């Protein structure tokens, strides 16, 4: 278990606070980001290292460590996160050609930031399967 994943797990379990989570800092405005969409509970911002012409991250403002840490009470929030992804894809003009919405989980999933996020990637032909 790597350090980031362990920290996310501890945060999810409430063992440590989330003050060192970079995405919580983006939500709090302590770190800057280029926003694509925002509601009171969801934030979408452009990835700092885009892998395609469009690469936006969608996060709940509430700290959830990963998709594997979603609780039953988060179900409506996660649904609205998906609806936000649809809106961002429409707003950025990639909906009609299609796009990818993915979330990495844990070490084997190559998750590097332990705050639930969906990558919205598009604007070019994507390949499958991923590595
Ligand atoms: P993961 O590897 O956890 O699936 O995705 C984390 C993503 O967050 C990566 O694509 C990475 O480029 C992006 N990222 C990491 N730090 C920052 C940051 O400070 N600002 C923004 N906008 N993106 C970040
Ligand atoms: Zn967080």
């Amino acid at each position: 278990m790597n350090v980031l994943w362990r920290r996310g797990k501890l945060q999810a379990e409430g063992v440590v606070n989330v003050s060192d989570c970079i995405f919580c800092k983006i939500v709090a405005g302590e770190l800057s980001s280029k926003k694509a969409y925002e509601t009171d509970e969801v934030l979408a911002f452009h990835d700092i290292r885009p892998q395609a012409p469009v690469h936006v991250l969608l996060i709940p403002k509430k700290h959830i460590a990963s998709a594997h840490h979603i609780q039953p009470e988060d179900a409506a929030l996660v649904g609205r996160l998906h609806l936000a992804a649809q809106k961002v894809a429409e707003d950025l003009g990639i909906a009609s050609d299609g796009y990818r919405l993915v979330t990495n989980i844990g070490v084997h999933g190559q998750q590097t930031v332990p705050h639930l996020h969906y990558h919205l990637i598009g604007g070019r032909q994507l390949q499958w399967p991923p590595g």
Side-chain angles (χ1 to χ4, degrees):
M1 186 184 287
N2 76 6
V3 170
L4 280 173
W5 180 244
R6 179 188 294 277
R7 194 166 69 203
K9 191 168 181 299
L10 292 172
Q11 287 169 351
E13 292 163 356
V15 176
V16 296
N17 67 35
V18 298
S19 59
D20 57 351
C21 170
I22 57 171
F23 286 179
C24 282
K25 285 186 174 161
I26 285 175
V27 169
E30 293 165 17
L31 284 177
S32 64
S33 68
K34 187 180 167 199
K35 292 180 185 176
Y37 179 66
E38 184 172 17
T39 69
D40 57 346
E41 59 183 359
V42 167
L43 180 64
F45 55 96
H46 294 266
D47 197 291
I48 204 166
R49 285 184 219 93
Q51 302 300 315
V54 172
H55 187 170
V56 168
L57 302 173
L58 290 114
I59 67 171
K61 291 187 174 179
K62 172 186 176 182
H63 183 89
I64 299 172
S66 82
H68 194 71
H69 297 85
I70 295 166
Q71 298 299 309
E73 61 266 29
D74 301 320
L77 169 62
V78 172
R80 285 191 283 274
L81 208 48
H82 281 250
L83 293 172
Q86 291 180 7
K87 176 168 173 44
V88 172
E90 292 283 356
D91 288 352
L92 298 182
I94 61 169
S96 59
D97 284 337
Y99 56 92
R100 187 166 292 156
L101 188 65
V102 289
T103 188
N104 298 324
I105 300 172
V107 177
H108 281 191
Q110 294 261 23
Q111 183 183 9
T112 59
V113 178
H115 180 131
L116 173 63
H117 52 283
Y118 290 90
H119 296 257
L120 171 59
I121 302 169
R124 65 169 168 82
Q125 179 61 57
L126 302 171
Q127 305 303 312
W128 191 263

